[in-house]
Amino acid sequence: MPTPERTSLDGIVSAGRALLESDGLDRLTMQAVAARVGVRAPSLYKRVRNRDELIGLIAHATLRELATRLEGAVNEAADDPRTELRQLAGVARDFAHERPAGFRLIFGAEVRLDEASLAASSAPVLRVAAALAGERDALHAARTFTAWLNGFVSMELAGAFRLGGDVEHAFEYGVARIADAVASPAGG
Amino acid sequence: MPTPERTSLDGIVSAGRALLESDGLDRLTMQAVAARVGVRAPSLYKRVRNRDELIGLIAHATLRELATRLEGAVNEAADDPRTELRQLAGVARDFAHERPAGFRLIFGAEVRLDEASLAASSAPVLRVAAALAGERDALHAARTFTAWLNGFVSMELAGAFRLGGDVEHAFEYGVARIADAVASPAGG
DNA sequence: ATGCTACATAGCTATCATGGCTACGGTCAA
DNA sequence: TTGACCGTAGCCATGATAGCTATGTAGCAT
C-alpha cells in the first residue's frame, strides 16, 4: 500500500451527518466536510462522486439508524399493538428532535431513497398495523399512521404549530385517535 | 417618475413561482428569474433584498392561494362536516399535485411563514374540525387532520409510496378514518 | 406657455466572494 | 520504481454589491 489513507467513506459520511445537524444542509459544503475530516475538499472526490451522492449517503445512513431504533421500540414494548404503535411514534419523534435536519432529509423530496432501506424502516410499522387493522388493511393503516406521524413531526420541526394549545397533548391525542381509527374489531 | 419600470414585485414573484414549478428550487436562480422578467439579475435587488426573501415571498403567495382554495372548497361543499373534510383534503391534494414545488416550500422548514397567513389557511380546517369534534377538541382534531394530510401528500410527492397498493384508495381510506377518529358523538 | 436644469430612480456593466468540481503533479510506503 | 493518496491551481456558476448611465418628471426662469 502506498501512502496511508487519512480518511474513509464512513468518516466522511459521519462528518457530514454531524455537520448537517450543527450547521444545516446549505452549510454542508464539501470544504466544511473535508475540514472536519482533516483533508482538503478535492480529496473527498476519491470516495464520493459529488455532493449529491454524499447527501444521499447521509440520508441513507440516517434512515438505517431510524429503522434500527424502530425495531428496538417494537421489541421493547409489550405485545399490545396500541402500545407498540405509541412506542413507534414516540421513538420516531424523539429521533426527529435529536436529528431534525437528518429527519427532514429523509422525508423531504430532495433524496431518492432505495427500496431496501425503505422496506426495512417500514417493516415494524407494517407489522403493528397488521396486528391492529388486520392483514387486509395493513398497508392502508400503516400509510395512514406514517403519514400522520411524518406530517406531525414535520410541522413541529417547521414551527408550524403556533396557534396555541399543547403540542405534547396534541401528539398523544393524535396517536390514540389514529390507533382507534385504524383498529378493526377483528384486529386490535 | 424616472425611467419607466420594466417589471414589478408581483411580476418577479410570479416569474419565480413559475420557475420554481418548471425547474425546481435549486434552478431558481436570480439570473433565471431576471431573464424571465426581461431584466438583468442585479436589477432584482431593487425590489427584493436577496434570494431568500424572494423565496419567502413565493412561499407566501403560494400559501395565500392555497388558503383561498380551501375557503372555496368549504363553501362549495354541503353542510355535512365529513363531506367538507373530504373536500378540504381533496383540494389540498390537487393543489399539491398542481404545484408540487410550491407545496413543499410551504410545508418544508426552509421558510418561516408569518402568523397571519398561517391562521388564514388554518381557518377553514379549524371550522370543520370544530363541527366534527366539538369546540373543545377542535385544535387537536385540526392538527391531527392537517398532519395526516400534509404527511400523506408529502410522501406521495416524494415518491415514498413504493410498497405497492393503490394510493388513491389509501387516500380515501385515510380521510374516512381520520374523520371517524376525530368525530365525537356530540360533534359530528 | 416654453425651454432648460436638477433630481430621483430603473436598470446595466463590472466586479468580488464562495462553492462545486477537475486536472495534474508531488509525496511516500511497498 | 511504482502506484495510490492528497494538495495546489484553476474553471465555472451563482449570489451579491458598487458605481455608472439613462430616462422622464418637477420646477424654475424666461
Side-chain angles (χ1 to χ4, degrees):
Chain A
M1 279 184 222
T3 84
E5 310 181 347
R6 266 195 267 151
T7 180
S8 68
L9 185 57
D10 271 5
I12 292 170
V13 173
S14 295
R17 293 184 69 188
L19 213 52
L20 173 66
E21 297 303 337
S22 63
D23 290 26
L25 184 58
D26 52 341
R27 292 277 179 93
L28 182 72
T29 68
M30 298 304 274
Q31 294 181 30
V33 173
R36 191 171 249 269
V37 168
V39 127
R40 300 286 187 162
S43 302
L44 298 180
Y45 291 86
K46 292 278 166 167
R47 304 253 153 63
V48 160
R49 189 194 307 271
N50 54 31
R51 183 171 177 266
D52 279 353
E53 186 180 284
L54 174 56
I55 291 174
L57 290 170
I58 290 171
H60 196 257
T62 306
L63 179 59
R64 266 195 323 220
E65 187 187 331
L66 174 59
T68 304
R69 291 207 203 173
L70 290 178
E71 280 297 347
V74 178
N75 290 339
E76 271 180 27
D79 258 356
D80 173 40
R82 265 190 179 67
T83 310
E84 290 181 324
L85 199 72
R86 218 230 140 279
Q87 280 292 319
L88 284 175
V91 163
R93 190 159 90 116
D94 290 346
F95 183 82
H97 288 172
E98 191 181 321
R99 312 189 91 99
F103 186 86
R104 278 193 291 260
L105 200 59
I106 294 176
F107 285 99
E110 32 231 280
V111 172
R112 183 85 177 173
L113 299 162
D114 67 305
E115 214 100 352
S117 310
L118 213 65
S121 59
S122 309
V125 178
L126 272 168
R127 256 182 286 129
V128 174
L132 212 50
E135 283 300 335
R136 208 200 53 197
D137 285 346
L139 187 55
H140 283 356
R143 277 178 177 159
T144 300
F145 169 71
T146 306
W148 167 78
L149 177 58
N150 169 17
F152 191 97
V153 174
S154 298
M155 292 178 67
E156 195 180 4
L157 292 183
F161 289 149
R162 276 178 284 162
L163 263 44
D166 181 10
V167 175
E168 296 305 318
H169 192 214
F171 187 73
E172 297 300 335
Y173 173 97
V175 200
R177 290 315 175 97
I178 296 279
D180 287 348
V182 141
S184 77
Chain B
M1 275 175 222
T3 90
E5 309 180 346
R6 295 225 295 271
T7 179
S8 67
L9 186 55
D10 272 4
I12 291 171
V13 173
S14 295
R17 292 184 69 187
L19 214 51
L20 174 65
E21 297 303 336
S22 63
D23 290 26
L25 184 57
D26 52 340
R27 291 278 180 92
L28 182 71
T29 69
M30 298 304 274
Q31 293 182 32
V33 173
R36 189 172 251 268
V37 168
V39 126
R40 299 287 187 160
S43 302
L44 299 180
Y45 291 87
K46 296 272 169 163
R47 305 265 157 70
V48 159
R49 188 194 309 272
N50 54 30
R51 183 170 177 267
D52 279 353
E53 187 180 284
L54 174 56
I55 291 174
L57 290 170
I58 291 172
H60 196 257
T62 307
L63 180 59
R64 267 195 324 221
E65 187 186 331
L66 174 60
T68 305
R69 291 208 203 174
L70 291 177
E71 280 296 348
V74 177
N75 290 340
E76 271 180 27
D79 258 355
D80 173 40
R82 265 192 179 65
T83 309
E84 289 181 323
L85 199 73
R86 217 229 140 279
Q87 281 290 321
L88 284 174
V91 164
R93 190 159 90 116
D94 290 348
F95 183 82
H97 288 172
E98 191 181 321
R99 311 189 93 100
F103 186 85
R104 277 193 292 259
L105 200 58
I106 295 177
F107 285 100
E110 32 232 279
V111 172
R112 182 85 179 174
L113 299 162
D114 67 304
E115 215 101 349
S117 310
L118 213 64
S121 59
S122 309
V125 178
L126 272 169
R127 256 182 287 128
V128 174
L132 212 50
E135 283 298 336
R136 208 201 52 196
D137 286 346
L139 187 55
H140 283 356
R143 278 179 176 158
T144 301
F145 169 72
T146 306
W148 166 79
L149 178 59
N150 171 17
F152 191 97
V153 174
S154 297
M155 293 178 66
E156 193 180 3
L157 292 182
F161 290 149
R162 277 179 283 162
L163 264 43
D166 181 9
V167 175
E168 296 305 317
H169 191 215
F171 186 74
E172 298 299 336
Y173 172 96
V175 201
R177 290 317 174 97
I178 296 280
D180 288 348
V182 141
S184 76

